[in-house]
Amino acid sequence: MPDDASLVDLIQERRSDPAVPARIGRHDVLVEKGFIGTFVYRIHGERVLVVHANKGYRDDVVAALLDAVDDLADDRDPANASIVRLRPIEVPGFPLDRAVFLGPGNTTFFKDGPLAERGMQVIPVHRSEAADGEEYEAFWPGVIGKNLSIRHYDWTREPSPRVDVLRLDSGKGGPFRHNRNSRRSSKPGLTRAQLVFEHDLPVLPDGVRVSLRDMRGHDLRVHREWDRLRGTLQIPGRDEPVDVDVPRLSAPAAFGPLFAGADFEPAMFETRTPPEHMLMMRVRDAERRRDDDGDHPASLDECLRWLDALAPTDGNHLVLTGRSDGVVQMRWEGPGEPRLWLETPEPAHRHSRGRHVTRDEATAMIEALARDDRVAVDDLGDLETASWGTSV
C-alpha cells in the first residue's frame, strides 16, 4: 500500500502546476491552481478523491462536497464502485444541492493515469439532474455527455432538469424510438426536461403515449388529445395517481416546476391558457426537402406561415384537418404559371370540390377551419367537382 508521499508524487505526474498542502473545512487537502481551474485532492488511504472547478470556485462548496461523501470515499465494497451515489449539500447562494460521488475506476479525470483504478471524483449537481444508485455508464454519457451536456466544472451554472422518457405504445418509429422501424423502447431515453415540455409533448403524434420520470420518482404518463395533454401523474408514496388534463402548450408551465425539484401542488395543473386555434397539418415542399409521412399538430399561425412559405412548384401541397375531421387541402399546379388549387375531399362521393384560389382566399379557408371547425369552401363559390375515378 503506498504512503501519502508516494500518492502525492502520483498526483503530480503529468500535471503542469504544483499541488500544495492546504486545509479546507475539516479536511487536509492538496490544491492545484492552473489555467483550466482549481483542483482539490483529498487522500483516502490508497485512494485519491478529486474536486475540479473552473468557473465560480468556492472553498465552502469544496468543504460541503468533501463532507457529504467522506464515508463513500472509504467504502471498499467493489460492488459499489460503478454506482453513482448522491448526497445532499446545502451552501448559501449555491443552486446545486447534491454531491455526486464517482467511485474508483469510474472517473475520466484519472483515466489512463497511474491512479486510474484508485481515483475518485465528486461533482456538484442539482437534485433534478441525477438519481442515486444509477450506473456510472448511464450517468456520465447522459448527464455530463451529449444529452444534458452539463459542464460539471462550471460552478456558476444553473440547474438543467432532466427527464427519463419511455414510449408506452407499440407504434412504429417516431419520437423517442431508436429508429424509424422500431416498435419497442427497452429503456428510457435521458434528455432535457425543457426540450421535452416545449418541443416534444405539444406535437406528440396521435396514438403516442409516453412515460416521463423525474429523479425523485414522479411518473408522468401522457398522450395528446387534440390540443390537450391527458394522462396521470404517479406521486411517490401515494396509492392513487393524479389526473392530468392541460393544454398542450402549457406543458412547460404545468410540468416544469415539478421536474425542476418543486413539491407537487394541484395548482400546477390549473393553467389559464386561452383556447388554442390549431389544426393537424401535413406538408410537402420539395424545395425545403420536407415531405411529411403523417399529420402533426400545428397552431393557426404556423399553418398560415406555411401557406406563405410553400414554394409555388407543381406538387407542393398542404393538407389541413380540423377537430371534427374536416379537411382543406391545397397544392400548387403547373406547368406554366403556378396556380394554387384548394379543395375539400368528400370520400363518401369519391370526389373533391374546389377551385383555384388566391393566397387571401386560402387564408380565409384555413382560418375558418381552425377557428370555427368549419370547412368553408362553399363560401368561395364557382366550385368544380374533381372525380376520383372508378376502381378497377
Side-chain angles (χ1 to χ4, degrees):
M1 179 179 296
D3 58 23
D4 284 2
S6 62
L7 278 175
V8 172
D9 291 338
L10 293 176
I11 290 170
Q12 289 286 185
E13 279 195 21
R14 298 185 295 183
R15 307 296 297 176
S16 58
D17 298 293
V20 300
R23 188 166 181 84
I24 297 179
R26 62 185 181 87
H27 304 280
D28 292 319
V29 297
L30 298 169
V31 178
E32 171 194 339
K33 295 184 178 181
F35 177 73
I36 59 173
T38 300
F39 302 85
V40 178
Y41 304 95
R42 171 86 160 91
I43 294 175
H44 286 263
E46 78 282 7
R47 297 175 174 178
V48 177
L49 176 67
V50 66
V51 183
H52 174 207
N54 188 338
K55 299 175 63 177
Y57 173 86
R58 293 169 52 173
D59 276 352
D60 57 349
V61 174
V62 173
L65 292 172
L66 295 178
D67 286 346
V69 303
D70 201 38
D71 63 321
L72 298 176
D74 292 325
D75 185 356
R76 295 301 190 266
D77 186 347
N80 294 332
S82 64
I83 296 175
V84 173
R85 305 304 304 271
L86 266 65
R87 292 290 186 269
I89 61 171
E90 185 175 351
V91 183
F94 191 62
L96 308 179
D97 58 6
R98 294 293 185 271
V100 167
F101 176 76
L102 306 176
N106 289 283
T107 166
T108 59
F109 179 81
F110 293 104
K111 185 178 181 181
D112 299 327
L115 294 172
E117 298 303 319
R118 289 180 283 155
M120 308 169 291
Q121 188 169 2
V122 57
I123 63 177
V125 301
H126 189 258
R127 62 186 180 276
S128 65
E129 298 170 338
D132 184 54
E134 66 182 322
E135 288 290 330
Y136 168 82
E137 293 298 334
F139 167 82
W140 191 266
V143 176
I144 308 301
K146 65 180 181 180
N147 295 39
L148 292 193
S149 300
I150 286 175
R151 293 178 172 86
H152 64 87
Y153 45 79
D154 179 1
W155 288 5
T156 66
R157 70 176 184 87
E158 293 298 319
S160 179
R162 156 187 167 185
V163 60
D164 290 355
V165 188
L166 183 67
R167 277 278 292 271
L168 301 176
D169 61 278
S170 59
K172 183 177 178 181
F176 312 118
R177 288 285 195 232
H178 181 65
N179 57 54
R180 64 187 303 175
N181 296 314
S182 174
R183 289 185 178 273
R184 298 183 61 187
S185 300
S186 58
K187 59 182 180 180
L190 185 164
T191 189
R192 291 177 181 268
Q194 180 182 7
L195 291 178
V196 174
F197 297 151
E198 290 184 359
H199 301 289
D200 295 315
L201 290 190
V203 295
L204 279 180
D206 290 342
V208 170
R209 296 181 297 114
V210 294
S211 165
L212 311 170
R213 295 184 67 92
D214 74 356
M215 300 302 96
R216 296 173 296 161
H218 294 97
D219 186 5
L220 175 66
R221 300 191 170 204
V222 293
H223 61 281
R224 184 187 55 80
E225 293 182 15
W226 196 249
D227 60 348
R228 311 286 296 183
L229 293 171
R230 293 187 168 124
T232 60
L233 172 69
Q234 185 64 59
I235 300 172
R238 296 193 187 183
D239 293 332
E240 296 297 325
V242 176
D243 289 334
V244 174
D245 185 352
V246 300
R248 70 182 185 108
L249 298 181
S250 71
F255 308 139
L258 180 69
F259 279 72
D263 293 331
F264 171 74
E265 296 289 345
M268 289 177 173
F269 297 163
E270 296 173 3
T271 61
R272 293 175 174 82
T273 305
E276 180 191 5
H277 302 301
M278 63 157 279
L279 298 168
M280 297 296 288
M281 180 173 68
R282 186 165 71 250
V283 180
R284 183 184 188 279
D285 191 323
E287 280 69 15
R288 291 175 175 79
R289 297 185 179 181
R290 175 165 174 173
D291 191 2
D292 297 346
D293 56 6
D295 298 343
H296 70 276
S299 67
L300 173 58
D301 287 344
E302 183 182 355
C303 295
L304 294 178
R305 286 196 300 270
W306 265 105
L307 172 63
D308 289 339
L310 192 68
T313 301
D314 185 56
N316 285 352
H317 61 252
L318 296 178
V319 179
L320 304 167
T321 305
R323 183 188 294 268
S324 299
D325 295 329
V327 176
V328 170
Q329 54 195 28
M330 56 207 75
R331 67 179 181 273
W332 285 105
E333 292 183 339
E337 186 69 24
R339 294 194 298 171
L340 185 63
W341 173 266
L342 182 146
E343 65 182 19
T344 183
E346 297 181 346
H349 302 291
R350 296 192 57 78
H351 66 223
S352 300
R353 294 186 306 118
R355 68 169 171 85
H356 291 105
V357 296
T358 65
R359 287 184 187 269
D360 286 345
E361 289 173 323
T363 295
M365 296 299 101
I366 295 173
E367 290 178 340
L369 188 61
R371 297 182 188 279
D372 306 326
D373 194 24
R374 182 172 70 94
V375 176
V377 294
D378 286 325
D379 296 352
L380 294 170
D382 299 323
L383 299 181
E384 301 176 24
T385 299
S387 175
W388 294 355
T390 304
S391 300
V392 179

